[in-house]
Amino acid sequence: MSTPATDPTPQAVHSAVPSPKAGYRGTKVRRQRVRAAWTFLAPMLVALVLVAGWPLLRTFYLSLTDALLSDTTGAAFIGFENYLVYDDGAWYGLLTDPVWWNSVWNTVYFSVVSVSLEVVFGIIVALLLNAEFKGRMLVRAAVLIPWAIPTIVSAKMWAWMLNDQFGIINHMLMALGLIDAPLAWTADADLSMWAVIMVDVWKTIPFVALLVLAALQMLPKDCYEAAEVDGIHPLKVFFRVTLPLITPALLVAVIFRLLDALRVFDVIYVLTSNSTSTMTMSIYARQQLVEFQDVGYGSAASTLLFLIIALAVVIYLYLGRRQLGVDQ
């Protein structure tokens, strides 16, 4: 004979429902944590506004003037004429300058190719460094040497090595019979872009490899043990298991490298100076500001450079969040 279910006692119902005082305490603790977070972040935010915000606003203001390098105080406000203006039946300004659009294309091309190669080779190097072999720690330390060398030093070093008269690269290629005559790596318009991409990839592969290696060492071992027991091919394990698990680390590596590549200046300027075949947006802005002493026009180029980088980062972060399923 079954006994009828009894209703819960008032005490049980009262204990099951959270009290308003408990919710108030949780809300109060949360507000305290938020205030503490803003307190610690405030000095950094103030420094960021002073270091980055003020120069950015001043650059935007100068882009709306006809300021010259010799006299920036007496500049007249001309609006958006540095960007685009219609005068005497023709359009003038930065947005109609073919050299500017060539520098935009060079920057995008350099960024896409170099970052893609760095990701591919960085993953390969990280997988090799993650394997067990004698002297692994020594090899890991040696791999970081290109990243530790200052960019100006490494660019100048490669400029000597790629020289068409006494460079060791041409000497080695001719000794191996791969070329018949020395190549002007940094002077030939068909080779200069690939030369700077090669130098940049050599320089920054260790950075990507280091981030990927850190992600590889945090992966669970049981997944690989199960795949080995089931006899799954290692290549399939990499694409089905390893690559999805290290995607967050790859996103971090790509966003940092993309920021560096879009604003690249030093390595290209040292290797090819103001050559139009490799001129990037940063080199174009520097040429207008320093060599042509047109601060207003150069500031307009710098402002567009900032907007392009910001737009690229926002799009990449949005696609990255969708890929990782953060919105879900």
Side-chain angles (χ1 to χ4, degrees):
M1 181 176 180
S2 60
T3 58
T6 58
D7 294 334
T9 61
Q11 291 81 3
V13 174
H14 180 74
S15 61
V17 178
S19 64
K21 185 178 294 185
Y24 173 76
R25 285 198 299 268
T27 305
K28 183 178 180 181
V29 171
R30 183 178 180 181
R31 288 201 300 266
Q32 290 177 348
R33 291 179 177 177
V34 171
R35 284 197 297 267
W38 281 109
T39 301
F40 285 110
L41 286 175
M44 184 273 296
L45 294 176
V46 172
L48 187 63
V49 169
L50 294 176
V51 173
W54 168 246
L56 181 62
L57 292 176
R58 180 168 174 77
T59 299
F60 177 69
Y61 169 74
L62 290 175
S63 70
L64 305 177
T65 66
D66 60 353
L68 299 176
L69 188 62
S70 58
D71 182 21
T72 58
T73 58
F77 184 83
I78 59 175
F80 291 94
E81 292 185 10
N82 286 322
Y83 297 92
L84 189 64
V85 62
Y86 186 78
D87 187 22
D88 292 336
W91 291 96
Y92 300 95
L94 184 64
L95 296 178
T96 63
D97 189 351
V99 180
W100 161 254
W101 289 112
N102 177 67
S103 66
V104 174
W105 163 249
N106 288 338
T107 305
V108 174
Y109 183 81
F110 171 84
S111 302
V112 172
V113 176
S114 62
V115 174
S116 300
L117 292 176
E118 289 158 11
V119 169
V120 173
F121 287 110
I123 293 175
I124 295 174
V125 172
L127 291 173
L128 294 175
L129 295 179
N130 194 47
E132 296 287 345
F133 59 90
K134 291 184 178 180
R136 182 174 62 170
M137 299 304 298
L138 182 62
V139 175
R140 288 182 178 180
V143 166
L144 293 177
I145 292 178
W147 178 252
I149 298 176
T151 304
I152 296 296
V153 176
S154 62
K156 196 63 180 177
M157 177 182 68
W158 276 97
W160 292 333
M161 295 171 62
L162 294 171
N163 188 275
D164 57 338
Q165 296 182 1
F166 53 81
I168 191 174
I169 301 297
N170 282 322
H171 178 75
M172 293 175 59
L173 294 177
M174 293 178 65
L176 294 174
L178 299 178
I179 58 175
D180 298 328
L183 299 176
W185 292 95
T186 58
D188 191 338
D190 297 328
L191 298 176
S192 55
M193 178 59 75
W194 285 103
V196 296
I197 289 176
M198 176 182 64
V199 175
D200 185 73
V201 170
W202 173 86
K203 164 74 176 172
T204 52
I205 280 179
F207 173 76
V208 179
L210 191 64
L211 292 180
V212 176
L213 179 61
L216 288 174
Q217 292 184 335
M218 297 178 62
L219 297 183
K221 303 297 182 182
D222 51 352
C223 298
Y224 298 96
E225 294 174 355
E228 185 177 359
V229 171
D230 294 339
I232 302 177
H233 194 276
L235 195 60
K236 184 179 291 187
V237 173
F238 171 77
F239 285 104
R240 296 292 182 87
V241 179
T242 305
L243 191 58
L245 292 177
I246 65 174
T247 297
L250 283 177
L251 291 177
V252 173
V254 170
I255 193 63
F256 277 100
R257 284 302 308 133
L258 188 63
L259 286 172
D260 283 339
L262 288 174
R263 59 182 179 85
V264 62
F265 173 81
D266 42 13
V267 61
I268 294 181
Y269 189 77
V270 171
L271 289 172
T272 61
S273 188
N274 290 325
S275 174
T276 56
S277 59
T278 57
M279 178 178 289
T280 60
M281 292 183 286
S282 297
I283 296 177
Y284 178 91
R286 183 261 174 197
Q287 185 183 54
Q288 300 296 325
L289 286 167
V290 178
E291 296 185 9
F292 299 160
Q293 297 191 9
D294 193 342
V295 175
Y297 201 80
S299 298
S302 301
T303 302
L304 286 184
L305 169 60
F306 168 77
L307 294 177
I308 291 174
I309 293 177
L311 179 62
V313 171
V314 169
I315 294 175
Y316 178 79
L317 290 178
Y318 174 76
L319 295 178
R321 288 171 63 88
R322 293 290 301 272
Q323 179 70 23
L324 293 175
V326 175
D327 294 338
Q328 284 77 21

